[in-house]
Amino acid sequence: MTLGSDVSGMTTTAASAAAKGLSIVVPVYNEAAGLAALHQRICELAKTLRQRYRLACEVVYVDDGSADATLSIARSLPADAIGVQVVSLSRNFGKEAALMAGLDHARLGAVMFMDGDGQHPPALVEQLVQHWIEDGYDVVYTAKAHRDNEPFLRRLAVHGFYALINWGARQKIPEDAGDFRLLSPRAVAALRQLPERNRFFKGLASWIGFRQIRVDYEPAPRAHGVTTFNAARLLGLSIEGLTSFSVAPLRFASLLGAALAGIAFLFGLSILWEVFTTGKQVPGYPSLVVGLMTIGGVQLIMIGIVGEYIGKILSELKARPIYFVAEHSEKHFEADNADDASKRTAAE
């Protein structure tokens, strides 16, 4: 029985990469106000990539149960310069499920993930594609160049999250890396073979290995609306990432338990020493109550951490689908016909 997978046959070179094509996956949730403008920018990008690399492109919009007109606008987007797929999920399953739906429906070889809020500049895509085609990288990921404009507590929390999730990990997750990244065909094939349902794309994309490179950028301001990722959702996503990709919380709980046990042992020795040397006994009620409350609180925290992991195990054992597609439409773009039309227009 083979416990690994050989994807060496999908290795791309500068000569063969362009023939594989590029699928751009864009999960959208209540992005009706700016979706048409974003599509226009992606179309311009597709024209540039076709002229420079002869690279066929498609865009896969995954509507994650939007409550506004996002789906109807996505249906009406033209395939003037790029093939268009619209995948509508039956409800809001979350961004990780939407990314997986886009990955499953991508028709072409390489896959790029970008957000639908306009903060991921399409102009940067050309640089990511260059690293893939010309430099031979399999995973080209982007990361925030700095967090100077964010509150100190948020920066401290982000740094602490990455320090905890990378604690003892063999494959580190780059700090500040986002979902805006490009995967080569063999990286896509590897990612599709990972069976877990509780997915953390940032971690999985790093775990598969291959040649990876980081590209720093400054996110553009949102063109419309406000972010739906408030503090509570960010905390939930952090817990999801930690419990899905790392055993660091369990290790931390074990070390905390060992530390408290050591402190309790030393405290007990100090009491015995005082009894033997002075004959006086330490008043027991306050120290007893404080000790019980401390140990009880730590035990509840440990039970909660273990419960998170048990919940993940239960979710994997149930093996429920990650998402359901309620509607799927596709518009094809014929590059040869478009090139012929442009040549006729230029001749006229």
Side-chain angles (χ1 to χ4, degrees):
M1 181 177 62
T2 302
L3 297 181
S5 179
D6 186 353
V7 294
S8 60
M10 304 185 69
T11 303
T12 55
T13 63
S16 63
K20 298 291 185 179
L22 175 67
S23 294
I24 303 174
V25 174
V26 184
V28 289
Y29 178 70
N30 293 340
E31 302 289 354
L35 188 56
L38 176 64
H39 182 70
Q40 182 61 37
R41 296 168 67 188
I42 293 177
C43 288
E44 295 298 326
L45 167 67
K47 293 177 183 178
T48 302
L49 295 178
R50 189 169 64 251
Q51 292 172 358
R52 181 172 179 180
Y53 297 108
R54 302 293 298 174
L55 184 66
C57 297
E58 70 165 355
V59 59
V60 184
Y61 293 108
V62 183
D63 176 41
D64 190 21
S66 297
D68 60 1
T70 297
L71 179 58
S72 60
I73 293 176
R75 290 196 200 105
S76 65
L77 295 175
D80 293 338
I82 190 173
V84 178
Q85 288 192 63
V86 178
V87 179
S88 175
L89 304 186
S90 60
R91 64 170 176 84
N92 180 254
F93 286 91
K95 186 177 181 181
E96 298 293 323
L99 290 173
M100 189 63 204
L103 183 68
D104 289 340
H105 287 81
R107 309 281 192 199
L108 303 181
V111 175
M112 174 175 293
F113 301 102
M114 60 186 302
D115 287 351
D117 56 9
Q119 290 189 287
H120 293 164
L124 187 61
V125 173
E126 190 173 352
Q127 181 181 352
L128 307 188
V129 172
Q130 178 183 348
H131 283 306
W132 164 48
I133 293 180
E134 298 183 5
D135 302 331
Y137 286 97
D138 292 287
V139 179
V140 187
Y141 63 92
T142 63
K144 288 185 177 181
H146 60 82
R147 292 182 176 271
D148 297 340
N149 58 339
E150 296 183 1
F152 172 75
L153 290 179
R154 181 184 176 92
R155 284 181 284 161
L156 183 64
V158 170
H159 181 71
F161 167 76
Y162 282 102
L164 184 59
I165 200 172
N166 286 325
W167 179 33
R170 296 184 61 185
Q171 183 65 33
K172 308 296 184 182
I173 300 177
E175 187 168 346
D176 294 331
D179 294 318
F180 184 24
R181 63 183 65 214
L182 184 148
L183 304 176
S184 72
R186 65 175 178 175
V188 170
L191 195 59
R192 282 173 172 161
Q193 293 182 46
L194 301 182
E196 56 258 46
R197 285 162 173 76
N198 296 284
R199 306 181 73 86
F200 184 57
F201 262 86
K202 296 177 185 178
L204 296 177
S206 299
W207 182 86
I208 60 175
F210 302 111
R211 294 189 65 200
Q212 304 198 10
I213 187 172
R214 171 176 175 146
V215 177
D216 289 332
Y217 81 107
E218 294 187 15
R222 289 182 63 94
H224 61 278
V226 295
T227 180
T228 58
F229 278 91
N230 51 29
R233 292 193 63 182
L234 288 174
L235 178 61
L237 182 61
S238 300
I239 295 175
E240 184 78 18
L242 282 171
T243 54
S244 297
F245 198 76
S246 173
V247 295
L250 292 175
R251 293 177 180 174
F252 178 77
S254 300
L255 292 176
L256 180 60
L260 286 177
I263 293 173
F265 178 73
L266 294 176
F267 183 63
L269 289 180
S270 68
I271 293 176
L272 290 176
W273 175 260
E274 187 170 354
V275 171
F276 288 146
T277 56
T278 65
K280 297 180 181 179
Q281 295 186 4
V282 178
Y285 181 74
S287 58
L288 179 63
V289 171
V290 171
L292 288 176
M293 292 180 63
T294 302
I295 294 175
V298 171
Q299 286 180 333
L300 289 176
I301 293 174
M302 292 181 178
I303 291 173
I305 292 174
V306 173
E308 287 286 339
Y309 283 92
I310 293 176
K312 291 292 185 300
I313 296 172
L314 178 62
S315 177
E316 295 292 334
L317 290 176
K318 288 179 179 178
R320 291 175 179 171
I322 300 176
Y323 61 87
F324 288 105
V325 176
E327 179 182 329
H328 178 215
S329 61
E330 187 172 0
K331 298 177 183 178
H332 296 279
F333 169 72
E334 299 296 338
D336 294 337
N337 295 339
D339 292 340
D340 293 341
S342 62
K343 290 178 181 178
R344 288 195 301 269
T345 302
E348 294 174 357

